[in-house]
Amino acid sequence: MKKTQANYTILVITVENKFGVLARVSGLFSRRGVNIKSLAVAPTDKAEFSRITVDLDIELESVSLDQIINQLDKLINVVEIRALDPAESVERELMIVTVEAEASQRDELVDHLDKVGGKVLNIGTESMMLSLVETSSVIDDFESFLSDYGIVELQRTGRVALDSL
Amino acid sequence: MTSENIDGGKALIRALEKEGVEVMFGLPGGAILPVYDPIIDSTIRHILVRHEQGAGHMAQGYAQATGKPGVAMVTSGPAATNIVTPLCDAYLDSTPLVVITGQVPLAAIGTDAFQECDTTGITMGVTKHNFLVKDAQDVPRIVKEAFHIATTGRPGPVLIDLPKDIVDPNNPRSELYWVDNPEMDLPGYKPEKKIDLSGIEKAVELIQSSERPVFYVGGGILKARAAEALRELVEITGIHVVTTLMARGAFPDSHELCLGMPGMHGNYTAVTSMQKADLLVALGARFDDRVTGKVDGFAPDAKIIHVDIDPAEIGKVRKPDVAINGDCRLVIEAMVDLLRQQDAIQIDRSEWKSTISGWQERFPLTYEDSEPGSRLKPQYVLEQLRDLTPADTIVASGVGQHQMWTSQYWNFDYPYTWINSGGLGTMGFSIPAAIGAKVGNPDRMVWAVDGDGCFQMTAQELVTATVENIPIKVALLNNSYLGMVRQWQDMFYDERFSEVFLSDDVPNYKAWAESMGCVGIRVDSPEEVPEAIAKANEIEDRSVVIDFRTAPEEHVYPMVPAGKDNSSIVVPPSQESQER
């Protein structure tokens, strides 16, 4: 298994799309005291399988990474598992956020939003709802920019990723 | 069988029969009640236990002794939690079990209904897999899958949780269309491994060129039915063998190349030969902490060949130089094939052999005879028991000092004659496990070797043995203490004995045994020992309990203190002055 070069580890797990499978997978991390930073689960192009993308916000030692992969692979409902090398994959994350924005602040906000390729989803009297699909690090930066305005509510999906072509 | 509509309960029993189940261990209750009706008409023998933990350990004893999967069935809630210990025990010792638990009806799940518990949630971490059945139609397929998972790859326990409405013929939900050969649906389960031949070549090369090699043999050899193949490999190579606690009997103790048990209470030669080896060939062994001692100091000069069916074991504790993922028997056979093709150029290992025999001469297992009038030496009792019982006797042990002494002093010459709780170390294992082993081997003699602490945890299953006519024999090494804890307090806690004294005279084991329908015998002096064993051996129509009054101050030697490396092995006082 390739050792990742970034400060995070992405595991991509194909599982049977059945009740209880997520608990089995996440239980294995919790038993080992490993925190999951983010988790994305959804059916794949085959309805009987789901793809789980696990983002661990640490770079695991290759020994413990192999160990976790081997143990996850032992779960009966896990069909396939591998670590994605961040250097050889394309990742994206979705953030939707409601931010405080008076009418006078909106031009600057939207200007910045355009630069990073985000969208305005909804406009209220004193706030705006925005979305952004980008790499997690771009989203991190944009989130800290927004904090000056005042974040009302925010949800990020966590990383999803595919192999580079 | 015909195709027809039946209910989930009947389907369960029919599916078990189709899997070849001959015996199951269990205890009925509310949620599982409907399944207990078709049992009356089934060919399967059901053994009614007195506690659900007993059902689980009996199924384990049966499985360990016969190699067939053990089956237990209990109701929901407290019955399910009572069988969690055997599940965990079977998980750690890779014992194939299929456990069926009742569950409250589907609609009641999650409502804190009477005797409801989250059985699949609780047992997730102690089973190889578990199922919650949500549709009666799935019953035949899930049973087939459960047996397949339990018995293939690295074996282990599988649990099926059955909601009551699925099995209750009065509930329309229980109806299903029976199919004789349901197709399994396990896309993520691929237990067959293709063996990497280049690994075999590298392994054979290392084996041939090493000067101080040792075969480190674990329970995987027994699971893979590889004892014969192992013997061939050993004899072709002339390399010594250590058999771990889980592998006793996998290679005959009486063979000149057998060094016996390694580990915390292993004999000096087994421990030290591993420590000094330049090559360890681990076959179905998992570098357990009780074998390695302090991992950093374990076998520092040894290269490692690690053969295991479970890829998660390889490199878990010690990085191997050659890793071979596969079934031990197939791997060993491939090694033997390759070795046979090669010229028998062997490197001179005479110095290593004489070093080993020197250790064997200087550091045999030993104990001091008891003083007249004082309590029996447990080692003496075990030597007598070993010598006065048939060679193929099955021995089931509890956990503690008596377990270590039995493993040390018994002479295991046949595989599947040693039944114990190795990984989990479950006190109270021996009596139900011995009963299970006897059920699977009605013509063999089965002895449980137990301690007094263990005996008091599960002795009630002797009632089961009596009522179900499963005669076993129990050698109770009764030292009035929780002996192993006492030993640690003696050695590491300045002899401050905390909560380890049980009692010298309560319970009255002879009377207790008799009240359960067994023959009870009390033995105080060494002269009475052979006579009592001979008497027990003659009794075939009921169980026998011999209360051997043993010495509480006796320590298990040798001992590698916890956290120390294996070169810190503590030998008995009489060998302290020997040159190491």
Side-chain angles (χ1 to χ4, degrees), chain B residues 300-324:
Chain B
D301 304 326
K303 290 201 164 162
I304 307 286
I305 298 170
H306 196 170
V307 180
D308 206 290
I309 196 157
D310 180 357
E313 286 302 342
I314 295 173
K316 182 180 80 175
V317 175
R318 174 84 173 251
K319 194 176 182 311
D321 299 272
V322 179
I324 303 174

mmCIF file of all heavy atoms in Angstrom, chain B residues 300-324:
data_model
loop_
_atom_site.group_PDB
_atom_site.id
_atom_site.type_symbol
_atom_site.label_atom_id
_atom_site.label_comp_id
_atom_site.label_asym_id
_atom_site.label_seq_id
_atom_site.Cartn_x
_atom_site.Cartn_y
_atom_site.Cartn_z
ATOM 1 N N PRO B 300 15.562 -11.518 18.937
ATOM 2 C CA PRO B 300 16.174 -10.373 18.253
ATOM 3 C C PRO B 300 16.975 -10.727 17.003
ATOM 4 O O PRO B 300 17.083 -9.907 16.097
ATOM 5 C CB PRO B 300 17.080 -9.757 19.331
ATOM 6 C CG PRO B 300 17.257 -10.819 20.368
ATOM 7 C CD PRO B 300 16.026 -11.660 20.329
ATOM 8 N N ASP B 301 17.524 -11.962 16.943
ATOM 9 C CA ASP B 301 18.367 -12.302 15.789
ATOM 10 C C ASP B 301 17.608 -13.063 14.713
ATOM 11 O O ASP B 301 18.203 -13.498 13.721
ATOM 12 C CB ASP B 301 19.550 -13.167 16.246
ATOM 13 C CG ASP B 301 20.344 -12.486 17.337
ATOM 14 O OD1 ASP B 301 20.434 -11.242 17.300
ATOM 15 O OD2 ASP B 301 20.831 -13.187 18.250
ATOM 16 N N ALA B 302 16.307 -13.253 14.935
ATOM 17 C CA ALA B 302 15.582 -14.161 14.041
ATOM 18 C C ALA B 302 15.000 -13.443 12.839
ATOM 19 O O ALA B 302 14.402 -12.377 12.961
ATOM 20 C CB ALA B 302 14.478 -14.877 14.806
ATOM 21 N N LYS B 303 15.187 -14.075 11.676
ATOM 22 C CA LYS B 303 14.361 -13.697 10.537
ATOM 23 C C LYS B 303 13.022 -14.403 10.722
ATOM 24 O O LYS B 303 12.938 -15.424 11.403
ATOM 25 C CB LYS B 303 15.023 -14.156 9.240
ATOM 26 C CG LYS B 303 16.276 -13.350 8.954
ATOM 27 C CD LYS B 303 16.654 -13.413 7.500
ATOM 28 C CE LYS B 303 17.645 -12.289 7.227
ATOM 29 N NZ LYS B 303 18.385 -12.469 6.008
ATOM 30 N N ILE B 304 12.007 -13.840 10.102
ATOM 31 C CA ILE B 304 10.664 -14.376 10.320
ATOM 32 C C ILE B 304 10.043 -14.786 8.989
ATOM 33 O O ILE B 304 10.001 -14.000 8.038
ATOM 34 C CB ILE B 304 9.738 -13.308 10.960
ATOM 35 C CG1 ILE B 304 10.351 -12.714 12.239
ATOM 36 C CG2 ILE B 304 8.340 -13.888 11.205
ATOM 37 C CD1 ILE B 304 10.340 -13.603 13.444
ATOM 38 N N ILE B 305 9.551 -16.025 8.964
ATOM 39 C CA ILE B 305 8.646 -16.438 7.886
ATOM 40 C C ILE B 305 7.279 -16.530 8.542
ATOM 41 O O ILE B 305 7.128 -17.233 9.545
ATOM 42 C CB ILE B 305 9.049 -17.804 7.294
ATOM 43 C CG1 ILE B 305 10.447 -17.728 6.683
ATOM 44 C CG2 ILE B 305 8.014 -18.267 6.274
ATOM 45 C CD1 ILE B 305 11.016 -19.089 6.285
ATOM 46 N N HIS B 306 6.316 -15.807 8.023
ATOM 47 C CA HIS B 306 4.993 -15.825 8.669
ATOM 48 C C HIS B 306 3.956 -16.364 7.687
ATOM 49 O O HIS B 306 3.680 -15.745 6.659
ATOM 50 C CB HIS B 306 4.607 -14.423 9.133
ATOM 51 C CG HIS B 306 3.466 -14.419 10.116
ATOM 52 N ND1 HIS B 306 3.074 -13.306 10.817
ATOM 53 C CD2 HIS B 306 2.625 -15.412 10.526
ATOM 54 C CE1 HIS B 306 2.055 -13.607 11.602
ATOM 55 N NE2 HIS B 306 1.760 -14.883 11.442
ATOM 56 N N VAL B 307 3.386 -17.511 8.034
ATOM 57 C CA VAL B 307 2.341 -18.118 7.220
ATOM 58 C C VAL B 307 1.024 -17.976 7.968
ATOM 59 O O VAL B 307 0.898 -18.439 9.108
ATOM 60 C CB VAL B 307 2.631 -19.618 6.970
ATOM 61 C CG1 VAL B 307 1.523 -20.236 6.122
ATOM 62 C CG2 VAL B 307 3.995 -19.803 6.319
ATOM 63 N N ASP B 308 0.057 -17.312 7.380
ATOM 64 C CA ASP B 308 -1.250 -17.194 8.037
ATOM 65 C C ASP B 308 -2.338 -17.006 6.994
ATOM 66 O O ASP B 308 -2.118 -16.361 5.966
ATOM 67 C CB ASP B 308 -1.261 -16.024 9.029
ATOM 68 C CG ASP B 308 -2.286 -16.237 10.138
ATOM 69 O OD1 ASP B 308 -3.503 -16.183 9.862
ATOM 70 O OD2 ASP B 308 -1.863 -16.477 11.286
ATOM 71 N N ILE B 309 -3.505 -17.535 7.300
ATOM 72 C CA ILE B 309 -4.619 -17.406 6.366
ATOM 73 C C ILE B 309 -5.232 -16.010 6.436
ATOM 74 O O ILE B 309 -5.911 -15.559 5.521
ATOM 75 C CB ILE B 309 -5.682 -18.488 6.638
ATOM 76 C CG1 ILE B 309 -6.619 -18.612 5.439
ATOM 77 C CG2 ILE B 309 -6.460 -18.201 7.913
ATOM 78 C CD1 ILE B 309 -7.316 -19.906 5.322
ATOM 79 N N ASP B 310 -4.965 -15.313 7.551
ATOM 80 C CA ASP B 310 -5.555 -13.997 7.762
ATOM 81 C C ASP B 310 -4.520 -12.912 7.463
ATOM 82 O O ASP B 310 -3.555 -12.759 8.209
ATOM 83 C CB ASP B 310 -6.021 -13.900 9.219
ATOM 84 C CG ASP B 310 -6.660 -12.564 9.528
ATOM 85 O OD1 ASP B 310 -6.696 -11.686 8.625
ATOM 86 O OD2 ASP B 310 -7.125 -12.373 10.666
ATOM 87 N N PRO B 311 -4.711 -12.158 6.372
ATOM 88 C CA PRO B 311 -3.702 -11.145 6.027
ATOM 89 C C PRO B 311 -3.514 -10.094 7.126
ATOM 90 O O PRO B 311 -2.443 -9.498 7.228
ATOM 91 C CB PRO B 311 -4.251 -10.508 4.740
ATOM 92 C CG PRO B 311 -5.658 -10.962 4.604
ATOM 93 C CD PRO B 311 -5.809 -12.223 5.398
ATOM 94 N N ALA B 312 -4.539 -9.900 7.959
ATOM 95 C CA ALA B 312 -4.419 -8.883 9.009
ATOM 96 C C ALA B 312 -3.475 -9.335 10.127
ATOM 97 O O ALA B 312 -3.056 -8.530 10.958
ATOM 98 C CB ALA B 312 -5.799 -8.549 9.589
ATOM 99 N N GLU B 313 -3.130 -10.622 10.171
ATOM 100 C CA GLU B 313 -2.183 -11.091 11.192
ATOM 101 C C GLU B 313 -0.741 -10.871 10.751
ATOM 102 O O GLU B 313 0.156 -10.758 11.586
ATOM 103 C CB GLU B 313 -2.393 -12.580 11.478
ATOM 104 C CG GLU B 313 -3.641 -12.877 12.292
ATOM 105 C CD GLU B 313 -3.650 -12.173 13.639
ATOM 106 O OE1 GLU B 313 -2.588 -11.731 14.127
ATOM 107 O OE2 GLU B 313 -4.748 -12.045 14.196
ATOM 108 N N ILE B 314 -0.531 -10.840 9.452
ATOM 109 C CA ILE B 314 0.848 -10.781 8.949
ATOM 110 C C ILE B 314 1.390 -9.371 9.110
ATOM 111 O O ILE B 314 0.845 -8.419 8.566
ATOM 112 C CB ILE B 314 0.897 -11.280 7.484
ATOM 113 C CG1 ILE B 314 0.526 -12.766 7.450
ATOM 114 C CG2 ILE B 314 2.282 -11.042 6.890
ATOM 115 C CD1 ILE B 314 0.378 -13.360 6.078
ATOM 116 N N GLY B 315 2.420 -9.254 9.904
ATOM 117 C CA GLY B 315 3.009 -7.948 10.177
ATOM 118 C C GLY B 315 2.317 -7.172 11.280
ATOM 119 O O GLY B 315 2.685 -6.048 11.568
ATOM 120 N N LYS B 316 1.314 -7.755 11.909
ATOM 121 C CA LYS B 316 0.574 -7.046 12.963
ATOM 122 C C LYS B 316 1.489 -6.738 14.143
ATOM 123 O O LYS B 316 1.460 -5.648 14.693
ATOM 124 C CB LYS B 316 -0.618 -7.899 13.423
ATOM 125 C CG LYS B 316 -1.484 -7.231 14.486
ATOM 126 C CD LYS B 316 -2.647 -8.115 14.911
ATOM 127 C CE LYS B 316 -2.201 -9.167 15.915
ATOM 128 N NZ LYS B 316 -3.335 -9.960 16.444
ATOM 129 N N VAL B 317 2.297 -7.718 14.518
ATOM 130 C CA VAL B 317 3.166 -7.558 15.680
ATOM 131 C C VAL B 317 4.628 -7.448 15.261
ATOM 132 O O VAL B 317 5.354 -6.585 15.721
ATOM 133 C CB VAL B 317 2.979 -8.747 16.654
ATOM 134 C CG1 VAL B 317 3.964 -8.654 17.819
ATOM 135 C CG2 VAL B 317 1.544 -8.793 17.162
ATOM 136 N N ARG B 318 5.044 -8.333 14.374
ATOM 137 C CA ARG B 318 6.439 -8.374 13.941
ATOM 138 C C ARG B 318 6.469 -8.454 12.422
ATOM 139 O O ARG B 318 5.793 -9.291 11.834
ATOM 140 C CB ARG B 318 7.091 -9.622 14.562
ATOM 141 C CG ARG B 318 8.506 -9.912 14.098
ATOM 142 C CD ARG B 318 9.548 -9.125 14.878
ATOM 143 N NE ARG B 318 10.867 -9.578 14.504
ATOM 144 C CZ ARG B 318 11.674 -10.290 15.309
ATOM 145 N NH1 ARG B 318 11.280 -10.608 16.512
ATOM 146 N NH2 ARG B 318 12.868 -10.644 14.899
ATOM 147 N N LYS B 319 7.252 -7.561 11.837
ATOM 148 C CA LYS B 319 7.331 -7.516 10.379
ATOM 149 C C LYS B 319 8.062 -8.760 9.885
ATOM 150 O O LYS B 319 9.182 -9.031 10.300
ATOM 151 C CB LYS B 319 8.094 -6.255 9.964
ATOM 152 C CG LYS B 319 7.974 -5.905 8.501
ATOM 153 C CD LYS B 319 8.710 -4.578 8.251
ATOM 154 C CE LYS B 319 8.620 -4.106 6.827
ATOM 155 N NZ LYS B 319 8.918 -5.074 5.802
ATOM 156 N N PRO B 320 7.438 -9.535 9.013
ATOM 157 C CA PRO B 320 8.107 -10.749 8.547
ATOM 158 C C PRO B 320 9.089 -10.462 7.418
ATOM 159 O O PRO B 320 8.953 -9.473 6.700
ATOM 160 C CB PRO B 320 6.945 -11.602 8.037
ATOM 161 C CG PRO B 320 5.905 -10.622 7.622
ATOM 162 C CD PRO B 320 6.089 -9.383 8.453
ATOM 163 N N ASP B 321 10.086 -11.353 7.274
ATOM 164 C CA ASP B 321 10.986 -11.275 6.126
ATOM 165 C C ASP B 321 10.346 -11.952 4.913
ATOM 166 O O ASP B 321 10.564 -11.542 3.783
ATOM 167 C CB ASP B 321 12.322 -11.924 6.474
ATOM 168 C CG ASP B 321 12.979 -11.194 7.627
ATOM 169 O OD1 ASP B 321 13.701 -10.228 7.364
ATOM 170 O OD2 ASP B 321 12.732 -11.550 8.812
ATOM 171 N N VAL B 322 9.587 -13.006 5.192
ATOM 172 C CA VAL B 322 8.808 -13.645 4.132
ATOM 173 C C VAL B 322 7.388 -13.810 4.642
ATOM 174 O O VAL B 322 7.171 -14.410 5.700
ATOM 175 C CB VAL B 322 9.383 -15.026 3.751
ATOM 176 C CG1 VAL B 322 8.528 -15.674 2.669
ATOM 177 C CG2 VAL B 322 10.832 -14.900 3.305
ATOM 178 N N ALA B 323 6.431 -13.243 3.914
ATOM 179 C CA ALA B 323 5.025 -13.358 4.309
ATOM 180 C C ALA B 323 4.311 -14.264 3.314
ATOM 181 O O ALA B 323 4.434 -14.076 2.109
ATOM 182 C CB ALA B 323 4.378 -11.982 4.328
ATOM 183 N N ILE B 324 3.598 -15.245 3.834
ATOM 184 C CA ILE B 324 2.811 -16.100 2.947
ATOM 185 C C ILE B 324 1.387 -16.137 3.468
ATOM 186 O O ILE B 324 1.121 -16.640 4.565
ATOM 187 C CB ILE B 324 3.385 -17.530 2.862
ATOM 188 C CG1 ILE B 324 4.844 -17.488 2.403
ATOM 189 C CG2 ILE B 324 2.536 -18.393 1.910
ATOM 190 C CD1 ILE B 324 5.538 -18.833 2.415
#
